[in-house]
Amino acid sequence: MIVADHVTFQYAESSEPALRDISLSIDDGDFVGITGTSGAGKSTLAMALNGIVPHEWKGDFYGSVKIDGMDTVEHQTEDFCRKIGEVFQDIDSQMVASVVEDEILFGLENFGVPHGEIKIRLEKVLEDLGIPDLRKREISSLSGGQKQKVAIAAILALEPRILVLDEPTGELDPESSREIFGLLRKLNEEKGITIVIIEQKIKLLCEYVKRLIVLDKGALAFDGVPGEIISHIETFKTLGINVPPVAELSYLLRQSGVYDGGITLTVQEAEKMVREVLHDPV
Ligand SMILES: Nc1ncnc2c1ncn2[C@@H]1O[C@H](COP(=O)(O)OP(=O)(O)OP(=O)(O)O)[C@@H](O)[C@H]1O
Ligand SMILES: [Mg+2]
């Protein structure tokens, strides 16, 4: 469990805080999305959740973050890296090897995983992510989606309980993006791994995450179940975030008085709503 208590952080070279008075807790087994416009503080928050801020990025840090009760300021990042793994926004700078299996082996060897266990973990993680065929491939020859899976595999091989991903689908097409979200859902549901995903693709967030956190200029604007917070459509617009069209449709139908159900987040839900409005149940 991660608990952030009144966290404010200002980078050393900056004139204003990147995070302003953030309090939130992330429970074990949760699937949380963090969104907001560019510069809202998403990456900074992700790095504050595992102690990289303020250990590796210096600045003024107020408040506290505790990972399973351990204060990130009082401990070193190495104390947490077994519990919490992060796939950074720029995966190319995170990757160290040129061949897929070496990338995964690098972390396992560095973490001092016993020799006999290394091969088992390598094969298991490739299997879990559905990429055993990529094992011997050059990373430079992979597609964006495949590369993202390898980056996730390298972190997952270390068996963290919490996985933080910073815009993992930023450079992916809609199909590969959906595939990554599906994979994360599977890891969350089948392995109980806590997922924190930073993402600007609000439509996918609404469909997949259990809880959505919205940042605006470093502060918490919303924190709740997507179906509830998305109903604040006007506020989302003022924050510069376009809610999914299916959500807006249900909002408009509700405003016009022909529909009194909840906000729809998927095309399937919207279809059900339209049939209800048209009295066309088939
Ligand atoms: N190393 C740094 N030094 C000084 N200021 C920084 C640094 N990194 C980020 N910032 C500033 O902190 C604020 C939050 O940045 P952050 O990268 O966390 O936003 P973000 O929501 O992840 O944006 P994006 O969607 O573009 O990735 C911005 O104003 C940014 O300019
Ligand atoms: Mg960012």
Side-chain angles (χ1 to χ4, degrees):
M1 182 181 192
I2 309 177
V3 180
D5 190 20
H6 296 288
V7 172
T8 293
F9 178 72
Q10 182 164 328
Y11 285 98
E13 317 82 60
S14 183
S15 57
E16 51 181 345
L19 298 176
R20 301 171 196 261
D21 198 25
I22 303 264
S23 291
L24 56 87
S25 63
I26 294 171
D27 291 330
D28 293 340
D30 213 343
F31 189 169
V32 185
I34 299 177
T35 196
T37 51
S38 187
K42 303 180 297 296
S43 296
T44 309
L45 176 59
M47 293 190 288
L49 293 179
N50 59 13
I52 294 176
V53 160
H55 284 292
E56 287 171 38
W57 287 104
K58 301 288 180 205
D60 294 327
F61 184 89
Y62 305 95
S64 68
V65 173
K66 288 185 179 153
I67 302 171
D68 290 343
M70 292 159 77
D71 193 300
T72 56
V73 173
E74 289 165 12
H75 291 81
Q76 296 305 309
T77 45
E78 297 83 65
D79 297 343
F80 306 115
C81 50
R82 281 181 186 274
K83 289 179 189 293
I84 176 165
E86 176 159 356
V87 180
F88 292 95
Q89 190 158 3
D90 178 7
I91 52 167
D92 287 331
S93 67
Q94 183 163 6
M95 296 217 171
V96 289
S98 53
V99 174
V100 170
E101 69 173 352
D102 294 341
E103 181 65 32
I104 298 167
L105 290 173
F106 178 82
L108 289 169
E109 282 161 6
N110 251 7
F111 267 61
V113 173
H115 207 70
E117 209 184 306
I118 287 185
K119 191 165 168 271
I120 299 170
R121 284 219 210 169
L122 168 70
E123 283 168 3
K124 184 167 176 296
V125 83
L126 290 170
E127 197 62 45
D128 284 348
L129 267 71
I131 51 169
D133 51 321
L134 300 185
R135 182 170 173 167
K136 302 277 180 200
R137 287 274 300 272
E138 288 279 332
I139 291 175
S140 58
S141 74
L142 302 179
S143 70
Q146 289 171 327
K147 215 192 257 185
Q148 191 61 241
K149 285 184 190 169
V150 172
I152 296 173
I155 301 294
L156 271 186
L158 308 174
E159 301 186 340
R161 297 307 304 148
I162 307 170
L163 185 59
V164 180
L165 307 104
D166 194 347
E167 303 208 32
T169 74
E171 304 197 352
L172 305 187
D173 58 35
E175 199 184 324
S176 313
S177 301
R178 192 167 281 281
E179 211 182 310
I180 294 292
F181 268 87
L183 183 69
L184 296 175
R185 174 182 275 169
K186 198 166 147 236
L187 292 171
N188 176 251
E189 288 179 351
E190 292 177 11
K191 303 203 179 289
I193 296 175
T194 308
I195 308 281
V196 179
I197 179 169
I198 289 164
E199 192 51 76
Q200 307 224 24
K201 293 177 180 159
I202 188 92
K203 191 172 122 186
L204 285 171
L205 284 171
C206 285
E207 257 186 79
Y208 284 87
V209 302
K210 296 177 185 163
R211 172 178 165 204
L212 186 60
I213 289 171
V214 183
L215 291 181
D216 177 43
K217 301 185 193 74
L220 212 61
F222 288 105
D223 179 359
V225 177
E228 287 168 15
I229 62 171
I230 285 291
S231 61
H232 299 273
I233 286 183
E234 297 303 333
T235 315
F236 269 85
K237 281 187 181 161
T238 62
L239 297 180
I241 301 171
N242 287 322
V243 304
V246 283
E248 187 147 14
L249 177 64
S250 57
Y251 174 76
L252 292 173
L253 290 175
R254 212 154 73 168
Q255 274 205 321
S256 64
V258 295
Y259 171 68
D260 63 0
I263 291 287
T264 55
L265 296 176
T266 62
V267 171
Q268 288 77 7
E269 286 172 14
E271 182 188 347
K272 199 162 154 254
M273 169 187 69
V274 170
R275 289 193 183 282
E276 200 180 302
V277 169
L278 298 175
H279 305 292
D280 179 9
V282 184

